């Protein structure tokens, strides 16, 4: 063995004392770090491994790291990478494949879009679309199969509602149902809408699969292409991370392949799709799997408690104001739900449950509290996804059981034209009640639920701050006492979302040691007029210190 000279230990200590050298340096920026210890800066330095080395002033960091490759922000605003705490990646990718029905103001407009799309399909192919919303139409009534049959007597048509909790099908599609839809029976966790005993053509929640399961599934390559399209949409919107609720094991394997090939431009926090194969696999992994690059992980299961408010499937403690006798749907039976939560708990898997109505939220809280028992004080970080309508007495329970409220601000502004019709004024006190949760010190994570809403997180920040639509209505905001500050809104899409994914030591702030995930914006989120928040655009999006998106430079003449 060759012995080191006696001075080697001194040399090694001296080398260790040398400052680490940054390889890249962002300068001339206006940085909102979201780090309470240093809220603002003008420069960021990071290493090849994508970790921030220093956050400070441009002049100082240029002196400290003279050899670093410089990126001149030109005075642009910089914020931590935005994280959508609830967005469906494959669903977003599917919008590039299916017929887009979002924003259609009538059934006639929907038929026009469908006919244009059908002209490009093989004669025997299913016509699949997404995004209809009867609340936008005159009369606001659910559609029927007859509305589609005249235009499509032979081609099966399946159209998913904007919230994903109801499907509108034609007679040709109903012929493919797993069992006859007429009669007086109802499936578990769902509802077949009927006129008398005849199926009308609308299937709610658990009834959707009776027809949807007949649609040919995506091929492996189609799934990859859909994900690629979703990734491009996400990073162009300034997202550096997404919590993706409800992925099947087959689809997760596709993501694993893409991660291994270096094809993930952002961080994906995947949730298993209920008590099925993905959760079984996750249990074999000790409750957590992550790739070496930090771009893909799974440690959570997404469960369903109830349906959605727009399709009157959200489970309420009292009748719907506009549908007496209806208190919504438990998509999962309480016994089956308890069994799934117990299983996840045994496997050390984080639980995230879709709950929209006050009865749905109470059932989730009751179950969480029972399963966790004395472990309710542990760092489990279980979540309620949406938490839209919560009884006032139940909001403090989120803090008592240490539950995270994962909420979507644009749901409030989308639902506000008709939410009072569904609920009445009294129940609105616990509706989309962000400030009530903050007052009780409940951790908030913000997202969009894309493609139910748009992928653009600036729309979510705008909605959280104003509780207004893009026309500035209503004046002062809807239920304005629940508006949040700009810093609180940004925190929901950064620090709060990072915490909800156990990633607060990786992302969510711009602080030395954390990942160099950030976004350059074309305006200052903290100072532009409120309406302009929604119009802010990313100039570039960076993950691990590398640009994954650059906005196209517009021609000066444009």
């Amino acid at each position: 063995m060759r012995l080191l000279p006696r001075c080697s230990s001194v040399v090694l200590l001296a080398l260790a004392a040398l400052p680490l050298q940054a390889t890249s340096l962002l300068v001339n920026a206006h940085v909102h770090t979201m780090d309470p210890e240093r809220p603002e800066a003008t420069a960021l330095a990071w290493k090849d491994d994508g970790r921030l080395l220093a956050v400070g002033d441009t002049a100082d960091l240029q002196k400290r790291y003279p050899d670093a490759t410089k990126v001149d922000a030109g005075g642009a605003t910089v914020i931590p990478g935005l994280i959508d705490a609830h967005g469906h990646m494959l669903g977003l990718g599917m919008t590039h494949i299916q017929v887009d029905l979002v924003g259609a103001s009538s059934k006639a407009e929907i038929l026009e879009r469908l006919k244009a799309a059908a002209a490009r399909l093989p004669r025997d192919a299913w016509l699949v679309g997404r995004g209809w919303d009867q609340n936008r139409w005159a009369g606001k009534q659910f559609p029927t199969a007859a509305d589609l049959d005249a235009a499509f007597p032979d081609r099966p048509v399946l159209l998913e509602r904007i919230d994903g909790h109801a499907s509108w099908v034609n007679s040709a599609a109903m012929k493919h149902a797993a069992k006859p839809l007429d009669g007086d029976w109802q499936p578990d966790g769902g509802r077949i809408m009927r006129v008398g005993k005849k199926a009308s053509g609308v299937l709610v929640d658990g009834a959707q699969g009776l027809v949807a399961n007949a649609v040919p599934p995506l091929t492996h390559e189609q799934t990859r292409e859909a994900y690629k399209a979703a990734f491009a949409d996400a990073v162009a919107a300034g997202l550096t991370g997404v919590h993706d609720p409800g992925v099947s094991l087959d689809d997760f394997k596709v993501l694993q392949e893409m991660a291994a090939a270096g094809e993930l431009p952002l961080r994906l926090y995947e949730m298993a799709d209920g008590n099925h194969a993905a959760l079984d696999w996750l249990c074999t992994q000790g409750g957590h799997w992550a790739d070496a690059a930090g771009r893909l992980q799974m440690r959570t299961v997404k469960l369903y408690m109830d349906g959605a408010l727009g399709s009157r499937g959200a489970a309420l403690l009292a009748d719907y104001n506009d549908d007496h006798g209806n208190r919504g749907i438990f998509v999962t039976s309480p016994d089956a739900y308890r069994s799934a939560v117990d299983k996840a708990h045994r496997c050390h898997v984080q639980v995230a449950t879709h709950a929209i109505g006050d009865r749905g939220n109470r059932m989730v809280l009751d179950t969480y509290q029972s399963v966790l028992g004395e472990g309710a004080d542990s760092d489990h970080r279980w979540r309620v996804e949406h938490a839209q309508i919560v009884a006032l007495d139940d909001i403090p329970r989120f803090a008592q059981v240490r539950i995270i409220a994962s909420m979507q601000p644009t749901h409030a502004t989308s639902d506000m034209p008709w939410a009072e019709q569904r609920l009445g004024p009294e129940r609105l006190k616990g509706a989309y009640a962000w400030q009530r949760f903050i007052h009780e010190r409940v951790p908030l994570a913000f997202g969009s639920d894309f493609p139910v809403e748009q992928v653009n997180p600036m729309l979510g920040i705008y909605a959280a701050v104003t509780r207004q639509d893009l026309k500035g209505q209503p004046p002062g905001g809807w239920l304005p006492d629940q508006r949040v500050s700009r810093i609180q809104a940004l925190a929901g899409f950064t620090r709060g979302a990072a915490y909800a994914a156990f990633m607060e030591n990786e992302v969510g702030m711009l602080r030395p040691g954390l990942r160099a995930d950030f976004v350059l914006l074309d305006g200052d989120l903290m100072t532009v007029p409120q309406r302009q928040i929604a119009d802010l655009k990313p100039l570039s999006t960076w993950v691990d210190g590398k640009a994954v998106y650059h906005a196209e430079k517009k021609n000066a003449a444009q």
Side-chain angles (χ1 to χ4, degrees):
M1 178 184 293
R2 182 172 180 268
L3 297 177
L4 292 171
R6 290 182 181 179
C7 62
S8 291
S9 61
V10 177
V11 171
L12 290 172
L13 286 171
L15 288 172
L18 288 173
L20 292 170
Q21 291 301 306
T23 54
S24 300
L25 185 61
L26 180 76
V27 297
N28 299 324
H30 183 189
V31 185
H32 296 293
T33 68
M34 296 305 291
D35 180 358
E37 295 180 10
R38 179 162 191 157
E40 297 197 359
T42 60
L44 305 172
W46 63 92
K47 301 176 289 180
D48 272 340
D49 65 359
R51 297 273 179 183
L52 288 166
L53 184 59
V55 177
D57 297 322
T58 292
D60 177 46
L61 295 193
Q62 283 181 326
K63 289 179 182 177
R64 288 168 59 186
Y65 308 110
D67 298 327
T69 300
K70 293 180 179 60
V71 179
D72 193 331
T77 295
V78 175
I79 59 175
L82 294 164
I83 305 164
D84 191 309
H86 188 110
H88 303 275
M89 293 302 294
L90 189 55
L92 180 62
M94 290 289 288
T95 63
H96 294 265
I97 301 171
Q98 299 174 342
V99 187
D100 180 11
L101 307 177
V102 174
S105 58
S106 67
K107 286 180 278 190
E109 183 178 349
I110 283 176
L111 286 171
E112 289 178 10
R113 298 189 194 185
L114 292 174
K115 288 175 182 176
R120 301 189 293 270
L121 292 176
R123 290 185 60 182
D124 59 346
W126 282 68
L127 182 58
V128 179
R130 191 184 197 284
W132 61 271
D133 182 359
Q134 82 282 2
N135 293 307
R136 301 179 65 91
W137 309 339
K140 301 184 179 181
Q141 300 299 313
F142 269 144
T144 68
D147 296 319
L148 299 170
D149 287 347
F152 305 103
D154 302 313
R155 183 192 297 276
V157 180
L158 185 145
L159 310 175
E160 198 172 15
R161 193 180 181 278
I162 183 71
D163 58 12
H165 286 265
S167 292
W168 171 21
V169 296
N170 68 346
S171 296
M174 287 194 282
K175 291 177 182 177
H176 292 267
K179 57 191 295 187
L181 301 180
D182 295 341
D184 53 12
W185 67 280
Q186 290 292 354
D188 293 338
R191 182 183 299 129
I192 300 169
M193 304 298 290
R194 296 189 177 100
V195 178
K197 293 190 175 184
K198 185 171 179 58
S200 70
V202 171
L203 309 171
V204 179
D205 287 312
Q208 295 181 89
L210 294 168
V211 173
N213 290 341
V215 179
L218 294 180
T219 65
H220 183 276
E221 190 55 35
Q222 285 174 325
T223 301
R224 284 177 57 89
E225 291 304 311
Y227 273 127
K228 286 181 181 179
F231 300 159
D233 288 347
V235 296
L239 293 175
T240 60
V242 172
H243 303 179
D244 187 2
V247 63
S248 71
L249 183 58
D250 286 344
D251 292 339
F252 187 68
K253 288 179 179 178
V254 173
L255 290 173
Q256 287 179 309
E257 292 176 14
M258 299 179 79
E263 295 175 348
L264 302 190
L266 75 169
R267 305 188 196 285
L268 299 180
Y269 188 77
E270 298 295 312
M271 305 182 193
D273 61 339
N275 191 5
H276 303 298
L279 177 58
D280 292 341
W281 173 83
L282 188 56
C283 285
T284 69
Q285 305 298 309
H288 185 203
W289 183 92
D291 79 316
R295 297 290 175 94
L296 179 67
Q297 63 173 310
M298 181 188 283
R299 66 182 301 166
T300 311
V301 61
K302 159 74 178 308
L303 304 174
Y304 278 95
M305 192 68 258
D306 63 352
L309 195 65
S311 48
R312 297 185 183 87
L316 301 181
L317 293 168
D319 292 357
Y320 277 83
N321 265 37
D322 57 356
D323 190 8
H324 294 295
N326 179 14
R327 295 191 176 186
I329 297 170
F330 277 156
V331 173
T332 309
S333 73
D335 287 344
Y337 176 68
R338 169 65 186 249
S339 177
V341 175
D342 270 327
K343 177 178 176 178
H345 188 224
R346 291 193 305 271
C347 293
H348 309 289
V349 170
Q350 181 191 35
V351 181
T353 305
H354 165 114
I356 288 183
D358 49 14
R359 183 164 60 109
N361 276 279
R362 181 166 293 177
M363 179 60 73
V364 171
L365 290 170
D366 288 347
T367 306
Y368 280 2
Q369 195 159 17
S370 176
V371 171
L372 287 168
E374 294 180 357
D377 285 337
S378 67
D379 191 24
H380 53 80
R381 304 194 199 183
W382 288 9
R383 304 164 48 146
V384 173
E385 304 300 311
H386 310 307
Q388 282 185 16
I389 317 300
V390 182
L392 294 180
D393 291 346
D394 284 335
I395 293 177
R397 295 180 63 198
F398 278 73
Q400 293 162 10
V401 191
R402 301 189 69 173
I403 303 303
I404 295 165
S406 170
M407 305 179 78
Q408 299 75 45
T410 47
H411 280 341
T413 50
S414 292
D415 295 358
M416 65 186 181
W418 46 263
E420 187 169 348
Q421 294 175 333
R422 295 279 194 279
L423 300 169
E426 189 62 27
R427 279 185 287 198
L428 287 183
K429 293 178 181 177
Y432 320 87
W434 311 317
Q435 281 296 355
R436 297 193 202 283
F437 281 103
I438 291 171
H439 178 75
E440 297 295 338
R441 298 188 176 181
V442 177
L444 291 185
F446 279 162
S448 66
D449 201 11
F450 64 72
V452 175
E453 305 280 356
Q454 294 185 52
V455 67
N456 180 3
M458 289 302 150
L459 297 177
I461 294 174
Y462 169 78
V465 170
T466 67
R467 293 178 76 102
Q468 293 176 322
D469 64 21
L470 294 178
K471 296 179 181 178
Q473 296 298 317
W478 181 61
L479 307 175
D481 61 321
Q482 297 307 302
R483 293 176 302 183
V484 302
S485 69
R486 298 186 193 212
I487 201 76
Q488 288 171 328
L490 182 56
F493 282 97
T494 54
R495 290 193 315 236
Y499 177 81
F502 296 88
M503 295 181 71
E504 69 274 19
N505 294 321
E506 294 285 314
V507 293
M509 293 187 291
L510 296 172
R511 171 191 282 180
L514 273 62
R515 303 273 189 173
D517 292 5
F518 56 89
V519 183
L520 273 67
L521 294 176
D522 64 356
D524 191 341
L525 174 62
M526 297 300 166
T527 59
V528 297
Q530 284 189 347
R531 176 57 187 80
Q532 291 181 23
I533 293 173
D535 298 328
L536 291 174
K537 299 288 191 298
L539 299 172
S540 56
T541 304
W542 299 66
V543 176
D544 284 327
K546 293 181 171 55
V548 294
Y549 167 76
H550 275 295
E552 293 183 9
K553 292 183 179 179
K554 292 185 178 181
N555 190 308
Q558 289 182 316

